[in-house]
């Protein structure tokens, strides 16, 4: 273990636990609900109403409560689907869903930038897989055509808003392509839930494809400032997962009051269309300003704005510099992203003032000037 840690250290890839301080640019609390007095009051009320404050067991043993049925029905209605099933985390939702519904006879087409939970769920399922280049629907179409005569079921699995690039899947085109080749679609809406679409229903709902896909997952621990995740789809899918998803069957239930917190956060978020519009407009402006200054930000159109600096050491140095300027930023490095694409990932939230984002742009220029001076001095010495 020590040798492995030293290896990570040598490549600037060793991680550590650090409490956030300063202007928080690495938070997924996109709507600022985590600090909401209204949500805090709703949590206190939910705790007082709850029969207990512990899970006590899995939902199939002692941990079930009618409040979970109620919040699942509420979320399904919100999304416009038949049913939803709550899991204790987004990770267990994706792993449980994919490992339960896929088998070694199936073939899954997975975007190369998909989250680890999707990758692990596919691996555990034993399904054969085709990894297609990020958002390359032309490649995906050729792959679907190549395997058109394959006898197994076919699934296309993708995030809608990608967590490291901030770009958005063209869901309408993806679903139309899947239908041409008889493939099912599974969408991970983790970074879209409560942020994108009318009422915050996500990319799939805003594209009008909720009734044309196999399933979608929606986390509660990001913009909804709670915990856990819903897998949404047909009523039959919900019953199947209750009986086959190991991460559901063998996980202790969350305390019942969490259902009240999720319900309150959902109702609050549905009223925040103006805040969503302002958040996304501010994020697009930040990305455009970075590009105008010569930074690589990719093609994102979401609240996640990456600045790709290349090497691990550069990303770490930039993050440390910004920390000294009062910004909480994380350097994102391989294996989370591809080699040579280490980056700073700026999560824009409603709680960050426009003036702070303007100061961030100036600080990035200061770091570049300092880096260039250092590089020039090193070259002269060499």
């Amino acid at each position: 273990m020590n040798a492995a840690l030293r290896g990570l250290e040598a490549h600037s890839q060793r991680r550590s636990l650090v409490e956030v301080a300063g202007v928080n640019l690495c938070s997924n609390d996109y709507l600022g609900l985590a600090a909401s007095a209204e949500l805090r009051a709703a949590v206190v009320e939910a705790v007082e109403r709850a029969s207990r404050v512990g899970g006590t067991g899995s939902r199939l043993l002692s941990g079930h409560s009618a409040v979970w049925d109620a919040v699942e029905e509420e979320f399904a209605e919100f999304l416009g689907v038949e049913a939803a099933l709550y899991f204790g985390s987004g990770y267990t939702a994706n792993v449980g869903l994919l490992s339960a519904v896929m088998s070694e006879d199936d073939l899954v087409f997975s975007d190369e930038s998909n989250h680890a939970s999707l990758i692990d769920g596919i691996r555990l399922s034993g399904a054969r897989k085709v990894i297609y280049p990020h958002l390359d629907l032309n490649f995906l179409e050729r792959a679907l055509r190549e395997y058109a005569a394959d006898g197994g079921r076919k699934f296309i699995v993708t995030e809608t808003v990608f967590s490291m690039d901030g770009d958005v899947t063209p869901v309408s085109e993806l679903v139309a392509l899947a239908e041409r080749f008889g493939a099912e679609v599974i969408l991970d809406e983790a970074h879209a839930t409560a942020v994108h679409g009318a009422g915050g229903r996500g990319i799939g709902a805003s594209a009008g494809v909720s009734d044309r896909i196999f399933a979608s997952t929606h986390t509660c621990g990001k913009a909804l400032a709670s915990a856990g995740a819903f897998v949404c789809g047909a009523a039959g899918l919900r019953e199947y997962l209750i009986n086959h998803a190991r991460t559901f069957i063998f996980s202790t239930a969350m305390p019942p009051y969490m259902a009240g917190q999720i319900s309150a956060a959902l109702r609050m978020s549905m009223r925040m269309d103006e805040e969503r519009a302002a958040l996304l407009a501010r994020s697009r402006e930040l990305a455009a300003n970075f590009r105008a200054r010569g930074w690589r930000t990719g093609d994102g159109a979401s609240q996640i704005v990456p600045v790709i600096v290349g090497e691990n050491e550069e990303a770490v140095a930039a993050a440390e510099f910004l920390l000294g300027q009062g910004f909480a930023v994380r350097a994102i490095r391989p294996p989370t992203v591809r080699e040579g694409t280490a980056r700073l990932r700026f999560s824009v939230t409603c709680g960050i003032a426009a003036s702070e984002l303007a100061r961030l742009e100036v600080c990035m220029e200061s770091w570049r000037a300092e880096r260039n001076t250092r590089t020039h001095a090193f070259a002269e010495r060499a």
Side-chain angles (χ1 to χ4, degrees):
M1 289 188 292
N2 290 335
L5 290 172
R6 286 193 297 271
L8 292 174
E9 189 78 45
H11 292 88
S12 298
Q13 292 180 340
R14 184 169 176 174
R15 297 168 173 83
S16 60
L17 299 174
V18 181
E19 188 171 354
V20 171
V23 179
N24 192 346
L25 285 160
C26 51
S27 170
N28 295 327
D29 179 31
Y30 300 121
L31 298 179
L33 293 181
S36 164
E38 181 181 349
L39 183 57
R40 185 188 299 270
V43 174
V44 172
E45 182 182 350
V47 171
E48 291 176 343
R49 287 199 316 265
S51 60
R52 60 183 186 272
V53 292
T56 76
S58 73
R59 284 178 65 185
L60 290 172
L61 292 177
S62 63
H64 184 63
S65 170
V67 297
W68 290 118
D69 290 327
V71 77
E72 286 167 346
E73 291 170 3
E74 182 180 12
F75 199 88
E77 182 179 356
F78 160 73
L79 201 62
V81 298
E82 288 184 359
L85 182 66
Y86 179 80
F87 287 73
S89 72
Y91 187 92
T92 57
N94 279 335
V95 169
L97 168 65
L98 299 180
S99 62
V101 302
M102 296 176 182
S103 72
E104 60 187 13
D105 296 324
D106 299 326
L107 180 62
V108 56
F109 300 83
S110 175
D111 191 291
E112 69 174 350
S113 294
N114 275 341
H115 189 265
S117 59
L118 298 173
I119 294 169
D120 290 351
I122 293 168
R123 286 173 175 165
L124 284 171
S125 75
R128 296 165 296 145
K129 57 183 178 289
V130 174
I131 310 300
Y132 61 89
H134 183 47
L135 293 181
D136 190 340
L137 298 195
N138 291 325
F139 184 100
L140 177 59
E141 180 177 3
R142 291 193 298 271
L144 286 164
R145 182 175 292 109
E146 178 182 349
Y147 288 96
D150 189 275
R153 295 178 303 166
K154 301 176 183 67
F155 292 89
I156 300 172
V157 177
T158 184
E159 296 180 52
T160 55
V161 175
F162 282 86
S163 57
M164 292 299 120
D165 295 290
D167 45 9
V168 179
T169 296
V171 168
S172 296
E173 293 91 329
L174 183 82
V175 171
L177 182 61
E179 290 173 341
R180 283 174 51 199
F181 291 93
E184 300 281 8
V185 174
I186 295 175
L187 301 178
D188 180 356
E189 297 262 28
H191 293 273
T193 304
V195 179
H196 292 262
R201 291 174 176 83
I203 302 297
S206 64
V209 301
S210 295
D211 60 344
R212 296 163 58 193
I213 64 174
F214 183 83
S216 60
T217 56
H218 300 259
T219 60
C220 306
K222 295 180 173 60
L224 290 179
S226 303
F230 294 98
V231 173
C232 303
L237 173 64
R238 180 180 185 275
E239 292 303 310
Y240 183 85
L241 293 176
I242 289 172
N243 288 277
H244 290 86
R246 292 171 66 84
T247 56
F248 176 85
I249 296 169
F250 297 107
S251 290
T252 297
M254 294 288 276
Y257 70 80
M258 182 56 67
Q261 179 172 343
I262 294 166
S263 179
L266 181 61
R267 293 193 301 271
M268 291 172 62
S269 71
M270 291 174 67
R271 308 193 302 260
M272 300 179 72
D273 278 341
E274 289 187 9
E275 289 85 349
R276 272 185 283 277
L279 170 64
L280 295 175
R282 188 176 296 175
S283 303
R284 287 192 292 268
E285 181 181 5
L286 178 65
N289 290 345
F290 275 137
R291 286 192 290 269
R293 294 172 182 267
W295 295 104
R296 294 169 56 201
T297 65
D299 301 318
S302 73
Q303 71 279 13
I304 300 167
V305 180
V307 172
I308 302 168
V309 298
E311 298 306 317
N312 297 348
E313 294 82 0
E314 293 290 281
V316 171
E320 291 176 349
F321 177 86
L322 290 176
L323 181 62
Q325 303 300 313
F327 294 102
V329 180
R330 294 287 187 268
I332 308 298
R333 294 155 284 166
T336 304
V337 294
R338 294 189 304 276
E339 292 287 345
T341 67
R343 66 197 62 190
L344 302 175
R345 175 188 180 272
F346 300 118
S347 286
V348 183
T349 68
C350 288
I352 301 173
S355 59
E356 292 290 7
L357 295 180
R359 188 169 73 86
L360 172 66
E361 296 172 27
V362 173
C363 288
M364 284 294 289
E365 290 298 295
S366 298
W367 174 72
R368 179 156 56 186
E370 180 180 292
R371 179 191 62 178
N372 290 343
T373 299
R374 187 174 63 251
T375 302
H376 181 70
F378 177 81
E380 285 188 337
R381 289 198 302 272

